[in-house]
Amino acid sequence: MSDNVLEKEISVSDVILEVKRIRNDFPILSERFSSETGTVKSLVYFDNAATTQKPRAVLDALQNYYQHQNANVHRAIHKLGERATFAYENSRKKVAQFINSRSTREIVFTRGTTEAINLVAHSWGRKFIKPGDEILLSEMEHHSNLIPWQLLAKDRGALLRFIPFSKSNGTLQMANLNHFITEKTRLISVTHMSNVFGTINPVRGLIQKAHERGIPVLLDAAQAVPHLPTDVQELDCDFLAFSGHKMCGPTGIGVLYAKEKFLEDMDPYQGGGEMISSVWLDKATWNELPHKFEAGTPNIAGAIGLGAAVDYLSDIGMEKITLYEQKLTTYALSRMQEITEMKIFGLAPFRGGVISFYMGKIHPHDMAQYLDSEGIAVRAGHHCAQPVMRKLGILATTRASFYFYNTYEEIDFFIEIVKKAREFFGYGTQ
Ligand code: C6P
C-alpha cells in the first residue's frame, strides 16, 4: 500500500458499510448499564485502540475449538491432535494471506505486538547489534517499541536515536531524515500508526530510504493491521508486529512477520518443547521455521480465534473498513472542533480513527469518567507513551478510538455528552 492510498481511494469510491447488520455480529455491543439514578445506558464503545470487541464468529471458533478440537499441537497422532494441529496451522495460513506474506514460515505466533518486538530485540538485536551501533526509532513510539530497544541498547552499548514529531499536528518530521539515518544505523523501528495521534506514518518511503542504505525496518503495526489493508511484500518491511485482540481476535495472541532470511539468521527467543529438532544433554539443534520461535505449548485457541477474526475482516473487506473509519473519523473531528476549548492532539492529513483530546482544564480522567457515566467507553491516561505526553507538556489525554462497528449516531451522542461535560465542569453553554 502506498503512503497516500487513503487519499486515492477516498476520491474514487464512496463506501457504505452495513454497520447495523455488522453490529448484530457483536453480542457485547447490546450491553446496557444502569446508572446511579437507575437510567439504563447503552454501550458506546470508543476504546478500540486498547482492544476491540469480538464477533460471534470468533466466539464460536473458540468454543468449537474447546468443544471439538482441544488437544496439543504438533505432538499427538490421535484424531484430536490432528484436528487441533490442522486448525492451528490453517490459521497461520489465513494470517499469511491476510498480510500477503510469501510463506507461513514467515509467520510466528506470539502473545501480541509486545512479545513480537521483544523477540526481535532479543534474537536479532543481541546477535547483530554491536557497541556504538545506532537504532532509529521515533518520538511517538508506544512503550512496547521503546523499552525493548532501551534494554538492548544498554546490553550492547548501542545508541537510540529518534525521529521527532511535530507538536502542532502529531506528524513525524521526515524532512531531516538524512540527519537521523547515519553510517551507524543498524535498524529502524517505527510505528505504522500512532496510538496517541492516529497519525499514519509514511513508512513506505522510510523503508525505501532505509533499504538504499541496507538497513532493516521493523513496523509496529499494532494500530495499523486492524484498520488498513496490509501487504508486507508491497511495504517491503523486514519485520512487522501486531496483536490479535486489536482486530476482533482474542487476547494473548499476536504475530511477528519477518522475512525468512532474518528468521533463519536469528537465534531462538525462548527454549523448550517444539522449538527443537534434536536435543542432547549438552546441546540442541533447532526446528524448522517458524516453530524455532514458538517454544512450549502455544496459545492454540487464540491462534484459531485469530484465524476466525481474519476471515471475518476479510469478508467485510479491509479497504471498506479503512474508508468507513476514515469518514467516521473526519466527521468526529469536525464535530469535535465545533466545541470551544477542545484541543485535539494529532491532526495529520493521513490518520486513522484515534482521537486524543483535552477539553479546557477538565482532567482527562474526569472527562473519561463523565463519559462512562453515560455509557461511553474511552481511555484516559498516557496511553503507554509517556515520552509523547512529556513532549506535549501534559500528563494524559482522553482518547476516543473507533472501529468499523461504530456509527455516526454514536459520535453525535458522544459530542452531546462532551458538551454536557463542558457545562458540568464549569465552562457554561456555547
Ligand atoms: N496499545 C492502547 O491502548 P499489545 O499490548 O502487545 O497487544 O500491544 C502493544 C502496543 C504496541 N504498539 C502500539 C502502537 C500499541 O498501540 C500497542 C497497544 C494499547 O494504546 C494498549 S496500551
Side-chain angles (χ1 to χ4, degrees):
M1 192 178 78
S2 75
D3 288 333
N4 60 358
V5 67
L6 300 180
E7 186 180 54
K8 270 196 282 172
E9 287 184 354
I10 281 165
S11 64
V12 293
S13 117
D14 203 30
V15 73
I16 310 250
L17 215 62
E18 290 175 81
V19 179
K20 293 261 153 58
R21 184 183 60 72
I22 283 172
R23 287 179 68 83
N24 288 332
D25 295 338
F26 292 80
I28 209 169
L29 295 181
S30 15
E31 279 300 297
R32 304 276 180 273
F33 304 99
S34 289
S35 72
E36 277 158 24
T37 57
T39 339
V40 176
K41 307 281 177 192
S42 302
L43 169 68
V44 173
Y45 188 74
F46 280 177
D47 196 15
N48 293 287
T51 199
T52 56
Q53 300 304 344
K54 321 303 171 199
R56 205 169 272 111
V58 170
L59 304 177
D60 289 349
L62 293 173
Q63 172 149 4
N64 182 57
Y65 166 70
Y66 282 119
Q67 215 166 318
H68 300 292
Q69 302 168 317
N70 180 45
N72 212 326
V73 289
H74 304 132
R75 288 154 170 86
I77 54 158
H78 52 72
K79 296 269 183 306
L80 283 185
E82 278 172 16
R83 276 187 199 169
T85 304
F86 176 80
Y88 180 73
E89 289 304 327
N90 201 34
S91 280
R92 200 190 304 275
K93 271 193 204 148
K94 291 175 185 182
V95 170
Q97 275 166 13
F98 189 67
I99 59 168
N100 195 29
S101 77
R102 288 160 209 84
S103 108
T104 49
R105 290 166 62 82
E106 298 178 320
I107 305 296
V108 178
F109 284 127
T110 64
R111 278 197 297 132
T113 307
T114 304
E115 190 176 54
I117 297 173
N118 275 279
L119 192 165
V120 178
H122 187 93
S123 294
W124 183 86
R126 278 176 177 71
K127 189 163 180 188
F128 294 105
I129 296 292
K130 305 274 178 292
D133 285 351
E134 293 177 3
I135 300 164
L136 182 60
L137 313 175
S138 87
E139 283 181 346
M140 65 167 74
E141 299 310 319
H142 184 280
H143 297 162
S144 291
N145 193 29
L146 173 62
I147 311 294
W149 307 117
Q150 288 181 354
L151 294 170
L152 175 68
K154 193 158 178 233
D155 185 65
R156 305 298 297 135
L159 191 78
L160 302 184
R161 295 182 61 128
F162 300 92
I163 306 168
F165 68 79
S166 147
K167 285 209 273 185
S168 63
N169 64 2
T171 56
L172 288 183
Q173 294 173 318
M174 303 290 278
N176 283 338
L177 200 56
N178 288 339
H179 171 70
F180 297 105
I181 304 180
T182 74
E183 294 283 290
K184 295 178 180 166
T185 310
R186 293 289 167 265
L187 177 76
I188 300 178
S189 186
V190 290
T191 187
H192 193 170
M193 176 168 142
S194 160
N195 71 319
V196 176
F197 300 122
T199 309
I200 298 170
N201 287 320
V203 292
R204 193 109 196 282
L206 181 67
I207 291 167
Q208 272 166 8
K209 274 215 167 88
H211 285 177
E212 280 161 21
R213 295 163 171 82
I215 303 165
V217 178
L218 183 152
L219 292 183
D220 171 351
Q223 300 292 348
V225 169
H227 304 278
L228 309 171
T230 303
D231 181 333
V232 287
Q233 293 191 58
E234 206 197 337
L235 281 168
D236 201 23
C237 54
D238 303 285
F239 302 99
L240 180 108
F242 58 100
S243 301
H245 69 97
K246 292 188 199 292
M247 50 189 287
C248 296
T251 46
I253 187 77
V255 175
L256 170 67
Y257 156 81
K259 285 182 184 162
E260 207 171 318
K261 62 175 177 175
F262 286 91
L263 291 177
E264 288 288 7
D265 284 350
M266 285 156 58
D267 290 331
Y269 176 47
Q270 293 178 331
E274 197 40 39
M275 48 73 71
I276 50 84
S277 172
S278 297
V279 180
W280 294 264
L281 282 180
D282 59 345
K283 62 180 188 215
T285 56
W286 313 136
N287 200 347
E288 293 284 303
L289 294 179
H291 310 293
K292 171 176 148 187
F293 294 101
E294 292 180 6
T297 301
N299 181 354
I300 306 164
I304 291 169
L306 176 58
V310 159
D311 281 344
Y312 183 81
L313 295 175
S314 304
D315 282 350
I316 297 173
M318 286 308 295
E319 277 85 6
K320 270 192 177 178
I321 288 175
T322 309
L323 290 168
Y324 177 73
E325 288 178 20
Q326 197 72 24
K327 283 165 162 282
L328 203 64
T329 307
T330 306
Y331 179 70
L333 284 168
S334 72
R335 296 269 358 243
M336 287 172 81
Q337 281 160 334
E338 288 167 9
I339 305 172
T340 318
E341 287 112 14
M342 173 63 75
K343 165 116 183 85
I344 293 167
F345 298 94
L347 289 166
F350 297 117
R351 69 183 326 288
V354 175
I355 307 181
S356 280
F357 66 98
Y358 215 113
M359 229 196 54
K361 291 198 174 59
I362 304 175
H363 193 285
H365 287 97
D366 290 338
M367 175 60 86
Q369 193 127 35
Y370 192 87
L371 291 165
D372 182 57
S373 71
E374 296 286 345
I376 304 172
V378 294
R379 182 173 171 186
H382 54 61
H383 314 299
C384 300
Q386 286 186 10
V388 175
M389 298 296 131
R390 205 162 281 123
K391 175 157 172 172
L392 293 172
I394 53 179
L395 289 173
T397 72
T398 313
R399 185 187 70 181
S401 53
F402 313 127
Y403 212 13
F404 57 87
Y405 42 65
N406 290 127
T407 64
Y408 288 83
E409 290 79 13
E410 286 181 320
I411 288 174
D412 287 339
F413 181 62
F414 166 74
I415 298 291
E416 186 189 319
I417 303 305
V418 169
K419 285 181 175 170
K420 262 174 79 179
R422 188 179 172 279
E423 279 173 48
F424 180 83
F425 288 105
Y427 284 95
T429 46
Q430 292 192 71

